[in-house]
Amino acid sequence: MGKNDKDPNRPKKAQSAYFIFMGDYRNHCKMTGESNTSNVTEFTKMASAKWRAMGETEREPYDQRAAADKQRYEHQMSMYVPAPGFSSKGSRKRVAFLTVLIYWQFLVCLLARHAYLKYFCFVG
């Protein structure tokens, strides 16, 4: 199982208000040259401090965009049909595990049936 075991057609998850803010703030900093965005650690510390300092009224547009993105995700997931071999979670691991489990249960039933028939039908 590699990194590409997720269904490529599965809808992307909804972003939180914080991540929407981070994307907008990163673009703002790149355009204005306000700060260096190439150092991820320093930029994230600075942006998260700005996020914490923001009031509810300043966060409101990001909360609205996050709610709209959540509705988009829920709508797309309601119409999503997993590709063959993928579960509704988008991973092959669970499907493969359940397939092996069902196969083993089938084999156990066959062996038990065989032992039953062998004992009761061929008792000499």
Side-chain angles (χ1 to χ4, degrees), residues 15-75:
Q15 286 189 326
S16 67
Y18 175 72
F19 280 107
I20 293 172
F21 164 76
M22 289 292 280
D24 286 353
Y25 189 63
R26 183 175 288 111
N27 290 336
H28 168 74
C29 288
K30 282 182 181 178
M31 294 178 95
T32 61
E34 185 177 318
S35 69
N36 183 12
T37 59
S38 62
N39 187 346
V40 177
T41 306
E42 292 300 318
F43 176 77
T44 303
K45 286 179 183 178
M46 183 184 65
S48 63
K50 184 173 173 101
W51 175 257
R52 283 191 299 267
M54 290 172 68
E56 287 295 318
T57 56
E58 294 172 311
R59 288 185 186 186
E60 187 64 32
Y62 300 109
D63 291 333
Q64 290 174 355
R65 286 171 55 191
D69 196 31
K70 184 176 181 181
Q71 287 179 343
R72 180 233 13 119
Y73 175 70
E74 289 173 352
H75 176 70

Side-chain angles (χ1 to χ4, degrees), residues 1 4-5 8-9 11 22-23 32 35 37 40 48-49 54 58-59 73 81 88-90 96-97 104 111 115-116:
M1 294 280 156
N4 297 326
D5 286 307
N9 299 325
M22 289 292 280
T32 61
S35 69
T37 59
V40 177
S48 63
M54 290 172 68
E58 294 172 311
R59 288 185 186 186
Y73 175 70
V81 177
S88 61
K89 299 282 186 188
F97 173 74
W104 278 104
L111 290 173
Y116 176 81

Side-chain angles (χ1 to χ4, degrees), residues 1 5 7 80 82-103:
M1 294 280 156
D5 286 307
D7 186 0
Y80 170 65
F86 291 97
S87 69
S88 61
K89 299 282 186 188
S91 173
R92 284 185 192 248
K93 289 180 183 178
R94 179 120 174 105
V95 172
F97 173 74
L98 290 175
T99 304
V100 169
L101 182 66
I102 291 169
Y103 178 73

